[in-house]
Amino acid sequence: LRWPYTWKTTMSNPEAEAKKELGNKAFSVKDYDEAIKQYTAAIAIDSKNCVYFSNRSACHAGKKDWENAVKDAKECIKANPTFIKGYYRLASAQSEQNEFDLALSTIKQGMAIEADNNQLVKLQRQIKARKASSKRAKSLAKSASAAGEPGAGGLNLMDSSVSKEVADLQQQFVSTSKEYQQVRAKISYQQRERKSNEITKREMEKLPASSDSKTYMCVGKMYMLTSRDDVMSQLDESITKSTKEEEDLSGKLSYLERRMNGQKQNIQELTKSAAE
């Protein structure tokens, strides 16, 4: 379980917040009964604070009391329909009750508010895998019963819906990997450009400002006679531009790396859940 959410509003009641903090401390040592007591006290003071219901739902989940976990998660959403954690709590508890369709519907409602919420996306995949696994197990049990052979039916076969989702994720991973390599190539290009311009600038700096040496600048396939100051200005501008491009591309590269790791983890978790 994750630590109870500690979000606050500017209108939080100090007395209720004090009870919540006591509940958080009890939750941290898995004293769920004491935590429930404190969150209940907070709710008695301020029944409109969605966080208190969310945290109490987490306590019920810790006790595997899924019925009350569902009730408090619903109260959380009722208190604040935009509080994403409420949908996560509710879907998690519904999933534990094997109410997979209800759980997926709850996640859909939450994603309508925040489509890219990582917790909901991950939970959605896990529930889909559990649903498929449950469906497969029932089918296998039915087949085994009809054949009079316990365990018959090919336990290692992955449900077609899960297989399709894994295939989609793999395709996304390949696409992200391709984009990752393209960004790396662009970074290398900008680094070469910057270093080349820095070398040229150092050589130009060796020329005295009053020098009569002629300097030229490449424009397309032509070389144009250009003053030393203009060349230096153009070099500074190019170096600054390349440096900025490198920084922007490096940020994108980090994002793509995190994205690939997330996709890889999702594939592993989905295939693992489907095999259980």
Side-chain angles (χ1 to χ4, degrees):
L1 288 173
R2 295 180 181 274
W3 179 261
Y5 203 78
T6 55
W7 171 84
K8 294 181 180 180
T9 68
T10 55
M11 299 298 290
S12 294
N13 184 292
E15 187 180 353
E17 283 294 294
K19 297 294 184 182
K20 185 197 74 174
E21 290 305 318
L22 291 174
N24 289 353
K25 290 179 181 179
F27 184 93
S28 69
V29 294
K30 298 185 178 181
D31 187 352
Y32 300 125
D33 288 331
E34 177 61 23
I36 288 172
K37 177 182 175 182
Q38 297 300 334
Y39 293 138
T40 299
I43 290 169
I45 298 168
D46 182 3
S47 62
K48 295 183 179 180
N49 193 312
C50 62
V51 176
Y52 305 155
F53 288 105
S54 174
N55 289 3
R56 194 169 69 174
S57 177
C59 293
H60 290 308
K63 297 179 64 177
K64 299 190 184 302
D65 181 358
W66 306 118
E67 183 178 352
N68 281 316
V70 164
K71 288 180 181 179
D72 272 344
K74 286 181 177 179
E75 288 297 321
C76 171
I77 294 171
K78 182 179 178 181
N80 186 349
T82 65
F83 188 61
I84 296 298
K85 182 67 72 172
Y87 297 95
Y88 178 84
R89 300 274 190 227
L90 180 56
S92 296
Q94 288 171 329
S95 176
E96 292 297 334
Q97 292 179 316
N98 294 324
E99 295 287 355
F100 302 122
D101 289 332
L102 282 176
L104 292 172
S105 177
T106 297
I107 289 175
K108 186 176 181 180
Q109 293 174 47
M111 293 177 74
I113 300 168
E114 188 177 331
D116 297 327
N117 183 275
N118 291 331
Q119 281 190 318
L120 289 182
V121 170
K122 183 177 179 180
L123 182 62
Q124 183 185 54
R125 292 195 176 110
Q126 291 174 342
I127 292 174
K128 284 183 177 180
R130 287 191 62 186
K131 178 183 177 182
S133 180
S134 176
K135 181 180 178 181
R136 186 173 64 255
K138 290 178 180 178
S139 177
L140 291 172
K142 184 177 180 180
S143 298
S145 176
E149 298 177 4
L155 287 172
N156 293 324
L157 293 177
M158 185 180 292
D159 183 270
S160 60
S161 62
V162 179
S163 179
K164 183 180 183 301
E165 188 162 3
V166 170
D168 289 342
L169 283 170
Q170 289 173 333
Q171 186 175 358
Q172 292 173 24
F173 180 80
V174 170
S175 177
T176 305
S177 298
K178 183 178 179 180
E179 188 176 358
Y180 179 85
Q181 295 301 327
Q182 291 173 341
V183 172
R184 284 190 62 181
K186 289 180 181 179
I187 290 175
S188 296
Y189 172 79
Q190 292 298 335
Q191 289 175 337
R192 290 194 301 270
E193 286 290 299
R194 176 176 54 78
K195 289 177 181 177
S196 175
N197 286 324
E198 286 174 345
I199 292 171
T200 302
K201 181 181 177 181
R202 285 197 295 269
E203 292 299 315
M204 289 290 295
E205 288 172 341
K206 294 177 182 179
L207 292 175
S210 60
S211 173
D212 293 331
S213 299
K214 295 181 179 180
T215 55
Y216 297 82
M217 181 175 293
C218 180
V219 180
K221 295 183 178 180
M222 300 175 60
Y223 285 89
M224 295 183 62
L225 183 63
T226 310
S227 70
R228 177 185 180 278
D229 289 343
D230 285 345
V231 172
M232 293 293 285
S233 176
Q234 286 292 331
L235 288 171
D236 285 335
E237 185 179 331
S238 296
I239 291 169
T240 300
K241 183 179 179 181
S242 292
T243 301
K244 179 65 166 56
E245 285 289 331
E246 279 184 63
E247 292 174 353
D248 292 344
L249 289 168
S250 294
K252 185 174 182 179
L253 193 71
S254 297
Y255 161 74
L256 290 171
E257 187 172 4
R258 293 193 301 271
R259 186 175 172 184
M260 284 193 301
N261 289 334
Q263 289 169 339
K264 185 177 180 180
Q265 183 180 357
N266 287 333
I267 291 171
Q268 292 172 340
E269 289 177 351
L270 194 58
T271 51
K272 181 180 178 181
S273 297
E276 292 178 349

